[in-house]
Amino acid sequence: MSGAPAALLNLVLALRERGHECAVMLPGSGGALPKKLKAAGIRMFAEQKYSLSIYPRCLNPLKRRRRRKKLEHRELLMSYMGYVLDCFGPDIVHTNVGPLDFAAEACRLKGIPHVWHLREYQDLDFGMKFYPSQEKFMEMIHGDWNRCIAITADIFSHFKLGIRDRVIYDGVFDERESDEKNAAAQERRLLGAEEKADGGNGEVSQCEPRNAESGGRKYFLYAARIEKAKGFDILARAFRKFAPEHEGWQLIVAGRPCGFYAFRWKLFCRRHLPKGSVKFLGQSDRVAELMREAAATVVPSRYEAFGFTTAEAMLQGCTVIGRDTAGTREQFDNGLRSTGREIGLRFGGDSSAKASKLAEQLCARMSEVASAPGGKELAAMHAAAKRTVKENYGACRCALQVEEFYNEILSER
């Protein structure tokens, strides 16, 4: 799952454990999130499909007009939203993503408090426009019946939020189980390594090459959708510069390809990089395992709002090479401020820099990881990074802050 659904699942489960009854409205019953909610016994309303209230800036005019027309005709959706509100009778309605305005409008009409979770910039990162306009969206999020949660201080500032709103970091992991799960996973890896070493029958077999200097196998990991906002083109250019000078290294790509952009850059990798040096796994459920073994996880997003991948990699003890902008910068700054040391490797602080220049900077960081001696310095960075994640991005901590925010809203009524 991507960041927003994973954060929603963690929040709902943690709130339920705190004694709250939760229901979730979704645009369909397919996919990982509905399956996990169903398995957890969370009530769902998923009979009506709907789209995000945004459209691309540079889309073909005919397609853009069609998308806007689809957003104009929402009588059935509003009617279904009214049915959900009457059926479940919530004290508060919480919209999990920014570009969905129909729940806020329904709450305004029914006099129900609404919380709007702002998770993306939309314009800076994805080049989107709000429907029907930016002005209308800003008017709605600042409405008397609505309160906002921003997942970073930078998003809080971007949308000009105020004293009535809150910055609450996403819950990336369950802090009560993390240590036990990590210890168990480490034990399984050690047992697996031993079995692999003797072939399971006392015979020695060949293992995959490991990068002894950096502590992991000789590969970099990219774990995100293959799209422009996530900066895969920057990484592909950087790896093209890196690969000829570092024989045997690989780039592993674990993420869903998105449209022509993904086709173009997969073709670039086939044409310009050594055969077998880039592996496209598609959307994978082995990301945590890949992070634990990687020399580094690369986060080249142009304007990452928060960065689940960054926090997850740090939690797994993996070095993060991240672009020094937006949410990635905020996570790095949180770590530097609380631990007194850098918790990742930064590149490309200038958000307007050209892709070729950013690729050179990223390549330099990748080369630094490939030739790093490791040892105490790397271990200290990993320890500081894990400490930062545990102090800021726990699911129970997030749920407690959201619960306090809900109570404040209800007490005002």
Side-chain angles (χ1 to χ4, degrees):
M1 287 190 296
S2 58
L8 171 63
L9 179 65
N10 291 343
L11 177 60
V12 168
L13 294 179
L15 284 173
R16 186 178 65 172
E17 288 189 9
R18 298 187 66 82
H20 300 282
E21 185 181 359
C22 303
V24 179
M25 180 176 167
L26 295 167
S29 56
L33 178 59
K35 288 180 182 177
K36 290 181 181 292
L37 289 170
K38 185 177 180 180
I42 302 295
R43 188 175 182 182
M44 288 188 295
F45 296 90
E47 291 80 16
Q48 178 65 47
K49 292 186 177 180
Y50 53 85
S51 302
L52 296 176
S53 308
I54 49 174
Y55 58 95
R57 265 197 202 118
C58 302
L59 203 62
N60 177 296
L62 294 176
K63 291 185 177 180
R64 185 169 63 241
R65 193 178 305 127
R66 194 180 306 133
R67 178 67 180 270
R68 285 181 59 93
K69 207 165 186 64
K70 185 177 180 181
L71 290 170
E72 287 171 6
H73 300 289
R74 297 189 293 174
E75 296 84 359
L76 182 60
L77 176 57
M78 292 298 293
S79 176
Y80 182 71
M81 185 75 229
Y83 158 76
V84 172
L85 294 178
D86 292 339
C87 184
F88 187 65
D91 296 309
I92 286 180
V93 174
H94 185 144
T95 295
N96 186 55
V97 292
L100 273 180
D101 60 354
F102 62 86
E105 180 63 18
C107 289
R108 184 184 68 81
L109 295 173
K110 287 183 172 288
I112 300 172
H114 181 264
V115 172
W116 216 325
H117 217 130
L118 302 177
R119 297 185 172 279
E120 309 284 357
Y121 298 91
Q122 298 304 337
D123 49 358
L124 297 179
D125 41 12
F126 296 106
M128 294 288 182
K129 296 188 75 172
F130 289 98
Y131 174 84
S133 68
Q134 177 84 13
E135 293 74 20
K136 178 64 174 176
F137 176 76
M138 294 296 285
E139 179 185 322
M140 290 186 73
I141 65 173
H142 291 102
D144 293 339
W145 78 102
N146 181 71
R147 304 282 286 275
C148 293
I149 295 174
I151 61 170
T152 63
D154 200 52
I155 288 183
F156 188 97
S157 174
H158 181 72
F159 288 107
K160 300 179 173 61
L161 302 183
I163 195 170
R164 301 170 66 250
D165 308 305
R166 294 289 180 274
V167 174
I168 300 178
Y169 289 124
D170 277 341
V172 176
F173 71 106
D174 187 338
E175 55 267 59
R176 298 165 306 173
E177 300 178 2
S178 178
D179 291 337
E180 292 83 351
K181 283 186 175 180
N182 286 342
Q186 177 68 16
E187 185 177 354
R188 286 195 300 273
R189 289 198 304 277
L190 291 173
L191 290 172
E194 290 172 3
E195 289 175 3
K196 201 169 190 179
D198 63 10
N201 56 9
E203 297 178 1
V204 176
S205 62
Q206 283 191 329
C207 298
E208 292 185 46
R210 292 183 60 82
N211 176 20
E213 293 175 335
S214 64
R217 289 187 182 142
K218 294 174 67 173
Y219 69 82
F220 293 97
L221 175 66
Y222 171 90
R225 295 185 302 275
I226 306 174
E227 61 182 357
K228 186 175 181 179
K230 298 297 182 181
F232 180 76
D233 55 303
I234 298 169
L235 175 56
R237 293 170 190 260
F239 197 70
R240 183 186 182 185
K241 297 174 180 292
F242 173 88
E245 300 175 5
H246 299 83
E247 187 178 352
W249 280 78
Q250 287 185 316
L251 172 62
I252 293 183
V253 181
R256 177 169 58 87
C258 296
F260 181 75
Y261 175 91
F263 171 80
R264 175 189 173 188
W265 287 100
K266 287 172 79 171
L267 184 62
F268 173 93
C269 292
R270 283 199 295 270
R271 285 182 172 177
H272 300 293
L273 290 164
K275 186 176 181 180
S277 63
V278 182
K279 288 188 177 181
F280 291 93
L281 304 182
Q283 198 157 344
S284 173
D285 57 1
R286 295 179 51 241
V287 171
E289 179 185 339
L290 291 168
M291 286 174 172
R292 286 192 291 267
E293 297 291 343
T297 295
V298 183
V299 184
S301 304
R302 286 175 161 78
Y303 236 78
E304 187 67 55
F306 171 71
F308 242 69
T309 298
T310 302
E312 288 174 328
M314 290 176 177
L315 191 64
Q316 300 299 331
C318 181
T319 303
V320 175
I321 305 174
R323 188 169 175 184
D324 193 24
T325 56
T328 307
R329 173 190 289 167
E330 191 163 324
Q331 288 197 47
F332 286 168
D333 287 349
N334 286 342
L336 181 59
R337 186 166 48 250
S338 64
T339 68
R341 66 179 305 121
E342 290 286 359
I343 61 172
L345 301 176
R346 311 179 191 226
F347 78 96
D350 182 3
S351 59
S352 62
K354 292 184 178 179
S356 57
K357 180 67 174 177
L358 293 169
E360 289 179 8
Q361 296 174 11
L362 176 53
C363 179
R365 283 303 199 185
M366 294 166 74
S367 298
E368 185 179 329
V369 169
S371 60
K376 291 183 179 180
E377 188 65 26
L378 191 61
M381 176 184 281
H382 292 167
K386 187 173 290 190
R387 174 182 156 191
T388 302
V389 173
K390 288 186 174 183
E391 287 178 352
N392 292 281
Y393 313 130
C396 295
R397 183 179 187 274
C398 172
L400 177 60
Q401 291 177 315
V402 170
E403 181 186 49
E404 290 173 349
F405 191 40
Y406 286 170
N407 289 335
E408 179 184 313
I409 294 169
L410 293 174
S411 66
E412 290 177 358
R413 298 193 75 196

